[in-house]
């Protein structure tokens, strides 16, 4: 399982060795996109993707002390926005290069292989979920929750449910991000080809699709009823925007990003969002907000990526890019290493996080834990995620080493690689 | 955060209990399930309830809800009955009538389609509408849910009733299976749009679980826990109605 971020980093040695030779060729291929040189690693991407993974894990656990540290309590957007944006950025970075160097067919095949990996990961997580829910259904019968237990009625017809799950139409709570990611990856070959042709036009089309989604209420239906929790037709905007930034958009925006007007607009908006969020937790403040504003603003829709959420993400990103330069020495600090490692193996760590959240729920339910156990579970989860990320890095590093010694064929023979 | 903060007072209470050993016995007999005042206060006003109480007229309350407004489908000991008992304690001079309209397995949209007929036969002063659970379990489109609740509240208000909206139960065991937050956000939004009080059952029950008043993770099979929780909800709801109708302690006598 080659992770996207690893390929960005150029840890894989043969690719890095090839790069200088190929770079001129890429530059010659005339196109409207530009790629930064290989080796110019965006450590900030790893850092923030790692952070997003930690926050998603904590948000998936029941509310606790640590939940108050997560982003969604301080504004409109949350870790999902960061995750999807960075995924778009890194995917475009890696496969955009593949498109320029290897052509459409090969790059599309690589993208589809990646989408397949994500799909398999999703099905694996669904199996675990099924095990958990079956256990609860057989062991738990509290009259207080006789209504809520009705959710397990789907166990009565597993044939339909499991097929619907394989079609990504039946999805348990907290398992909505990977299906979104799969759909976005399936669209990526098209997005990249379009970007190579006219990057700005592609972004404009993406905005248009987003607007059409809102105007005509487009959605993906799910089973047994309802819609996808994250509407891919709306969330593609973040993904395409990430891709656009990776393929030279960020560079072209640098003047806007460094302007003081952008800075102040962002700061004012973040403070506004913080204040609005505060009124959710401190109801006494509720009357300070004008009712007109409330009526216009609510509900802040997560399914269709509300404009307020998107704007909040943009403001956060603008401020981050400005005050955290890529050459900030702190990025190499060992203290941030666990976050970086998690960010570099995002798919594996994301799945692990979903699994750990299931397990955490389960332990809390069985042991009837208090706040202390709760905090302990959260911390253990983060430690496990970081350790596994480190283990994957170590394994890949040593696998690469042996590959250099000429043992490369083995993995292919075994059907891996 | 709150559960962390309560540790200090809890320790203090334990010390107090040691000093005044005799008072502990009494505390165990009465169900204690305190709710922070902020969760029981609202900007919106129940003017029709206030008028009825001030004029000394009978208080007719209609509870519309799904199965979680009962205990396993039975009204015996469920929160509407406990609310009636609590209101009778507080307003002994008034007649308090509570009727319950259970609509199990009905989404908000399906429930609303029956409102016109329902309100022809009953003329309640106050309607308490508990909704969202079925919609969350079926993951109905949140926009459709919003529209249905909006339409329902309009219908109830047009029929001349005060309205209280009530959201989902806090159900930690099914948290990984039911995603309630979009529905609770929409209930809150409709409450704001119509200036209708929202009884935040979810936050209140979560508070009880965190403070250790109830262990809602527990796998007990008997109805005992359910009865105690419903009793507390009924009493909290009576306080909420008092706050929203601006009924001071004066009316309580």
């Amino acid at each position: 399982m080659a992770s996207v971020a690893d390929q960005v980093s150029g840890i894989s040695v043969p690719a890095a060795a090839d790069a200088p030779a190929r770079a001129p060729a890429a530059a010659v291929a005339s196109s409207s996109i530009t790629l930064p040189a290989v080796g110019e690693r965006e450590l900030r991407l790893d850092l923030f993707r790692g952070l997003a993974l930690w926050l998603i894990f904590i948000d998936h656990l029941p509310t606790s002390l640590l939940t108050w540290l997560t982003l969604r309590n301080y504004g409109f957007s949350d870790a999902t926005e960061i995750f999807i944006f960075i995924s778009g950025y890194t995917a475009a970075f890696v496969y955009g290069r593949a498109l320029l160097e290897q052509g459409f067919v090969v790059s599309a095949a690589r993208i589809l292989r990646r989408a397949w990996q994500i799909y398999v990961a999703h099905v694996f997580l669904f199996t675990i979920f099924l095990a958990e829910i079956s256990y609860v259904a057989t062991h738990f019968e509290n009259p207080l929750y006789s209504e809520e237990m009705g959710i397990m009625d789907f166990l009565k017809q597993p044939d339909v449910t499991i097929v619907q799950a394989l079609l990504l139409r039946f999805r348990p709570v907290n398992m909505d991000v990977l299906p979104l990611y799969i759909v976005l990856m399936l669209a990526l070959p098209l997005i990249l080809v379009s970007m190579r042709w006219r990057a700005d036009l592609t972004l404009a089309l993406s905005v248009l699709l987003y607007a059409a989604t809102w105007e005509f209420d487009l959605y993906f239906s799910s089973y047994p009823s309802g819609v996808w929790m994250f509407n891919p037709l709306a969330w593609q905007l973040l993904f395409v925007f990430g891709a656009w930034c990776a393929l030279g958009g960020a560079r072209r925006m640098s003047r806007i990003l460094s302007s003081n007007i952008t800075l102040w607009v962002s700061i004012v908006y973040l403070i506004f969002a913080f204040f609005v969020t505060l009124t959710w937790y401190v109801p006494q403040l509720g009357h300070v907000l004008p009712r007109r504003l409330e009526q216009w603003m609510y509900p802040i829709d997560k399914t269709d990526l509300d404009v307020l959420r998107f704007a909040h993400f943009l403001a956060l990103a603008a401020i981050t890019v400005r005050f955290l330069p890529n050459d900030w020495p702190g990025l190499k600090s060992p203290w941030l290493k666990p976050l970086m490692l998690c960010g570099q193996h995002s798919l594996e760590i994301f799945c692990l996080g979903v699994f750990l959240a299931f397990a955490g729920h389960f332990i809390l339910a069985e042991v009837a834990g208090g706040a202390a156990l709760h905090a302990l579970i959260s911390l253990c989860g983060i430690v496990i995620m970081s350790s596994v990320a480190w283990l994957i890095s170590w394994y890949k590093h040593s696998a690469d080493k042996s590959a250099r010694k000429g043992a490369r064929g083995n993995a292919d023979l075994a059907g891996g690689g | 955060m709150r559960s962390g903060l309560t540790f200090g007072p809890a320790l203090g209470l334990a010390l107090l209990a040691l000093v005044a050993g005799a008072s502990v016995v009494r505390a165990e007999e009465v169900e204690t399930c305190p709710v922070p005042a902020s969760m029981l206060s609202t900007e919106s006003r129940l003017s029709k309830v206030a008028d009825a109480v001030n004029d000394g007229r009978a208080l007719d309350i209609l509870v519309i809800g799904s199965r979680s407004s009962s205990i396993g489908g039975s009204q015996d000991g469920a929160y509407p009955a406990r609310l009636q008992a609590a209101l009778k304690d507080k307003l002994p001079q008034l007649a308090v009538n509570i009727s319950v309209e259970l609509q199990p397995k009905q989404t908000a949209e399906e429930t609303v389609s029956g409102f016109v007929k329902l309100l022809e036969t009953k003329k309640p002063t106050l309607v308490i509408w508990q909704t969202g659970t079925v919609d969350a379990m079926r993951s109905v489109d949140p926009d459709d849910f919003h529209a249905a609740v909006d339409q329902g509240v309009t219908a109830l208000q047009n029929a001349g009733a005060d309205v209280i909206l009530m959201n989902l139960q806090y159900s930690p065991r099914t948290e990984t299976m039911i995603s309630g937050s979009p529905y609770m956000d929409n209930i809150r939004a409709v409450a704001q749009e119509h200036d209708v009080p929202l009884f935040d059952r979810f936050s209140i029950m979560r508070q009880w679980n965190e403070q250790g008043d109830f262990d809602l993770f527990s796998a007990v099979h008997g109805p005992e826990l359910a009865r105690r929780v419903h009793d507390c909800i009924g009493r909290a709801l009576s306080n909420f109605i008092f706050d929203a109708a601006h009924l001071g302690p004066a009316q309580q006598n």
Side-chain angles (χ1 to χ4, degrees):
Chain A
M1 272 225 223
S3 117
V4 166
D6 266 347
Q7 292 158 4
V8 175
S9 70
I11 280 181
S12 127
V13 178
D18 282 358
R22 283 191 188 164
V28 171
S30 83
S31 69
S32 67
I33 58 178
T34 50
L35 289 166
V38 168
E40 186 186 314
R41 179 161 189 139
E42 257 290 4
L43 288 173
R44 291 177 296 182
L45 291 177
D46 292 340
L47 178 70
F48 285 106
R49 183 144 68 169
L51 188 67
L53 290 169
W54 285 17
L55 296 183
I56 290 175
F57 166 68
I58 293 172
D59 279 340
H60 281 178
L61 282 173
T63 317
S64 77
L65 197 59
L66 275 175
T67 317
W68 291 98
L69 298 176
T70 65
L71 202 55
R72 64 172 176 188
N73 294 304
Y74 301 98
F76 302 141
S77 71
D78 62 27
T80 319
E81 271 90 349
I82 303 178
F83 184 75
I84 293 297
F85 172 81
I86 297 184
S87 295
Y89 192 106
T90 49
F93 189 91
V94 173
Y95 299 110
R97 181 174 299 280
L99 179 69
L100 292 182
E101 291 171 1
Q102 298 169 312
F104 176 74
V105 175
V106 174
S107 62
R110 281 181 59 191
I111 293 170
L112 293 181
R113 176 165 166 255
R114 182 69 177 162
W116 171 250
Q117 287 175 347
I118 304 170
Y119 179 76
V120 170
H122 175 76
V123 172
F124 173 66
L125 286 176
F126 178 75
T127 312
I128 293 172
F129 170 81
L130 214 55
E132 186 213 4
I133 203 171
S134 309
Y135 172 83
V136 174
T138 41
H139 288 80
F140 186 64
E141 200 183 319
N142 186 337
L144 183 62
Y145 296 119
S146 64
E147 174 165 31
E148 283 80 358
M149 288 297 142
I151 192 71
M152 299 173 193
D153 283 353
F154 78 83
L155 289 174
K156 290 175 189 157
Q157 39 176 341
D159 49 346
V160 184
T161 308
I162 291 177
V163 171
Q164 293 290 354
L166 291 175
L167 293 172
L168 301 181
R169 293 189 67 233
F170 176 82
R171 295 179 320 280
V173 174
N174 290 346
M175 284 185 51
D176 298 286
V177 177
L178 288 184
L180 169 67
Y181 198 8
I182 293 168
V183 172
L184 295 176
M185 284 303 277
L186 290 179
L188 185 62
L190 193 69
I191 295 170
L192 286 180
V193 167
S194 173
M195 283 258 175
R196 184 170 64 169
W197 175 56
R198 293 272 193 283
D200 293 344
L201 189 67
T202 310
L203 185 62
L205 284 174
S206 164
V207 174
L208 203 65
L209 177 59
Y210 175 79
T213 304
W214 277 82
E215 180 64 29
F216 302 113
D217 195 20
L218 310 174
Y219 56 85
F220 275 41
S221 71
S222 63
Y223 174 86
S225 63
V227 296
W228 280 38
M229 165 74 193
F230 296 110
N231 187 349
L233 298 169
W235 280 78
Q236 50 80 23
L237 179 62
L238 259 178
F239 191 76
V240 174
F241 180 64
W244 181 81
C245 288
L247 301 178
R251 204 165 301 174
R252 279 183 285 146
M253 273 202 313
S254 58
R255 268 181 64 192
I256 302 178
L257 285 174
S258 58
S259 104
N260 281 328
I261 301 174
T262 312
L263 177 69
W264 284 109
V265 168
S266 301
I267 290 177
V268 167
Y269 185 70
L270 290 182
I271 291 173
F272 164 74
F274 175 69
F275 179 75
V276 170
T277 321
L278 207 59
T279 65
W280 304 341
Y281 299 104
V282 190
Q284 293 90 330
L285 286 174
H287 61 275
V288 184
L289 282 185
R291 198 163 281 270
R292 283 283 266 303
L293 181 70
E294 282 186 347
Q295 292 187 356
W296 171 77
M297 207 165 53
Y298 293 132
I300 299 174
D301 192 13
K302 186 169 185 182
T303 297
D304 287 333
L305 181 65
D306 202 289
V307 171
L308 292 174
R309 291 183 68 112
F310 186 60
H312 189 256
F313 169 79
L314 289 184
L316 275 179
I319 289 184
T320 309
V321 168
R322 187 174 174 119
F323 290 109
L324 195 78
N326 200 27
D327 50 11
W328 180 55
L331 287 172
K332 299 209 166 65
S333 131
W335 293 101
L336 293 179
K337 194 77 183 162
L339 272 174
M340 298 271 185
L341 284 174
C342 287
Q344 284 165 10
H345 305 285
S346 62
L347 180 61
E348 292 89 340
I349 301 305
F350 178 85
C351 293
L352 185 67
V354 173
F355 168 74
L356 289 172
F358 277 149
H361 265 281
F362 190 76
I363 295 172
L364 281 172
E366 289 310 305
V367 188
L373 180 68
H374 202 136
L376 187 70
I377 286 178
S378 312
L379 287 177
C380 284
I382 287 174
V383 170
I384 294 174
M385 284 162 75
S386 308
S387 319
V388 170
W390 176 81
L391 198 67
I392 297 172
S393 273
W394 170 82
Y395 168 73
K396 280 200 171 136
H397 196 65
S398 23
D400 282 342
K401 259 193 212 158
S402 47
R404 251 188 303 175
K405 286 178 193 153
R408 195 180 177 81
N410 292 347
D412 290 332
L413 279 178
Chain B
M1 184 173 253
R2 283 190 194 106
S3 37
L5 288 176
T6 50
F7 190 68
L11 198 69
L13 275 181
L15 285 174
L16 255 180
L18 275 178
V19 176
S23 65
V24 177
V25 182
R26 210 183 100 74
E28 275 172 0
E29 285 165 0
V30 182
E31 190 73 70
T32 52
C33 40
V35 179
S38 67
M39 288 187 188
L40 292 181
S41 69
T42 168
E43 289 291 304
S44 313
R45 202 160 171 239
L46 297 173
S47 54
K48 303 219 163 65
V49 173
D51 290 348
V53 173
N54 292 331
D55 300 351
R57 280 183 279 129
L59 199 52
D60 291 314
I61 300 178
L62 171 63
V63 178
I64 304 172
S66 57
R67 211 173 143 91
S68 66
S69 288
S70 66
I71 298 179
S74 151
Q75 275 309 313
D76 190 25
Y79 75 81
R82 302 313 301 153
L83 168 66
Q84 186 169 26
L87 285 177
K88 276 185 174 158
D89 277 354
K90 289 182 174 173
L91 302 164
Q93 78 283 14
L94 278 193
V96 179
N97 310 312
I98 293 198
S99 50
V100 182
E101 191 65 33
L102 270 199
Q103 310 263 5
K105 300 197 174 182
Q106 303 271 297
T107 61
E109 201 178 337
E110 290 158 355
T111 307
V112 169
S113 63
F115 273 9
V116 174
K117 213 173 161 193
L118 190 64
L119 292 165
E120 273 172 7
T121 50
K122 289 175 177 152
K123 290 276 169 226
T125 324
L126 168 67
V127 175
I128 299 169
W129 184 16
Q130 171 261 310
T131 186
T133 311
V134 179
D135 296 78
M137 285 165 59
R138 293 207 202 154
S139 44
V140 168
D141 184 344
D143 288 343
D144 293 347
F145 175 71
H146 183 276
V149 178
D150 179 73
Q151 198 192 340
V153 171
T154 309
L156 296 173
Q157 285 181 325
N158 287 345
D162 277 341
V163 180
I164 289 179
L165 284 171
M166 184 190 291
N167 59 12
L168 283 67
Q169 293 199 90
Y170 172 62
S171 171
R173 279 274 184 169
T174 53
E175 243 182 0
T176 50
M177 304 159 210
I178 303 174
S179 164
S181 56
Y183 304 92
M184 293 198 280
D185 288 350
N186 277 295
I187 295 174
R188 189 177 293 277
V190 173
Q192 265 156 358
E193 284 157 21
H194 287 270
D195 199 7
V196 155
L198 165 67
F199 183 75
D200 193 350
R201 181 167 63 155
F202 182 88
S203 302
I204 291 172
M205 284 176 72
R206 188 169 67 189
Q207 176 86 0
W208 287 336
N209 188 61
E210 280 178 12
Q211 286 176 347
D213 298 308
F214 297 111
D215 174 16
L216 299 179
F217 276 108
S218 145
V220 289
H221 290 245
E224 196 42 45
L225 175 74
R227 278 174 190 281
R228 283 165 50 215
V229 171
H230 275 257
D231 180 50
C232 284
I233 291 176
R235 278 189 285 140
L237 196 50
S238 76
N239 291 332
F240 185 69
I241 292 173
F242 258 65
D243 181 87
H246 294 225
L247 302 175
Q251 278 89 358
Q252 290 191 41
N253 301 318

